[in-house]
Amino acid sequence: WRRAWQRSPVFLPGESHRQRSLESSIGYDAIIISGTEMAKQIQKEIQHGVDSWVSLGNRRPHLSIILVGDNPASHTYVRRKIKAAAAVGICSEIILKPKDVSQEELLDITDQLNADPRVSGILVQLPLPDHMDERTVCNGISPEKDVDGFHIINIGRLCLDQHSLIPATASAVWEIIRRTGIETFGKNVVVAGRSKNVGMPIAMLLHTDGEHERPGGDATVTIAHRYTPKEQLKIHTLLADVIIVAAGVPKLITSDMVKEGAAVIDVGINYVHDPTTGKTKLVGDVDFEAVKKKASFITPVPGGVGPMTVAMLLKNTLLAAKKIIY
Ligand code: GUN
């Protein structure tokens, strides 16, 4: 079962997760899940899906991205999405608007894209400037073209365990868990972070019924957030078989908070000053070097959930083009 995105040391034949986790206390490191390698594999699958769709005489999937203002991080993320789309054969366009664009103009654009049969997927890069209501704008995209899964209908269907376009970060975490073989059935999961676009959908996927229309992970999920006292958070994480951190707090999860053999998935994106280089560097929410000595599996930042999120957005774009959900 071991795949390219899991680096050594490997499980020996017959060795259980439990044995491995016990050994980790005497010096074994966690298996570091390479989101970069896993995303490459998924992108190959998507490219194959796009090729067969187009070879059957269908229109090539097309992703329209609306980008407002000059937030450098947003521009970087959008460039990454466009590049990844091109690599799997998905056409894309960026509709760039100045930061003082009106909400009405933005909604006119989404109306036009909704009605355009050449466009299969639409997303509005967030955050938007303060004079706009993100909820109204997200609801302006047709649910069937809403590749971010942020429309109220897609969120509602997700919460009802129905098929929907699922937010890409939540799908990325789900796919990492499934493809790595991390068990969730009857297990304790902590999700640290309750944002509507990340923490909430992750918790939704993991606690819901595995036999419903959109199968869930059947885990016992605890959701922690900014008002969970740190000592309470530790009580929960020490019970957890899987810890998923999407809080935006560097080193929120330290090794004393992790049970031996737990799987740790780091969704954090934090830019911090690196005193050794004098530059800014990207880190997650987990004290990676210490926690990897205790965990069974761990995702790094960068190179973990981030690249997987882009891959899952492309998967949503193909699903939207093929009208598989709606
Ligand atoms: N900004 C940060 N993450 C995201 C995302 O997943 N989708 C959109 N539209 N904007 C974002």
Side-chain angles (χ1 to χ4, degrees), residues 227-271:
Y227 299 119
T228 308
K230 193 81 191 272
E231 64 280 7
Q232 289 296 319
L233 176 61
K234 182 173 172 178
I235 291 171
H236 291 293
T237 54
L238 280 172
L239 284 175
D241 304 294
V242 183
I243 301 173
I244 299 159
V245 209
V249 179
K251 297 202 176 164
L252 178 67
I253 302 299
T254 45
S255 66
D256 58 309
M257 300 169 73
V258 177
K259 181 170 80 167
E260 288 274 351
V264 180
I265 299 182
D266 191 348
V267 190
I269 301 174
N270 307 291
Y271 289 94

Side-chain angles (χ1 to χ4, degrees), residues 77 81 123-127 148 150 169:
Y77 293 143
K81 291 171 188 181
L123 76 82
V124 178
Q125 186 66 26
L126 303 178
D148 260 333
F150 293 166
T169 310

Side-chain angles (χ1 to χ4, degrees), residues 26 35 76 85 128 275:
I26 52 163
T76 304
L128 287 172

Side-chain angles (χ1 to χ4, degrees), residues 165-180:
L165 287 163
I166 296 172
T169 310
S171 283
V173 170
W174 176 265
E175 210 62 29
I176 286 170
I177 287 175
R178 283 288 166 268
R179 291 187 183 229
T180 309

Side-chain angles (χ1 to χ4, degrees), residues 48-67:
H48 182 72
V50 170
D51 289 347
S52 6
W53 179 247
V54 172
S55 70
L56 290 171
N58 297 295
R59 227 182 237 135
R60 187 168 288 282
H62 177 109
L63 173 64
S64 296
I65 302 182
I66 302 170
L67 176 55

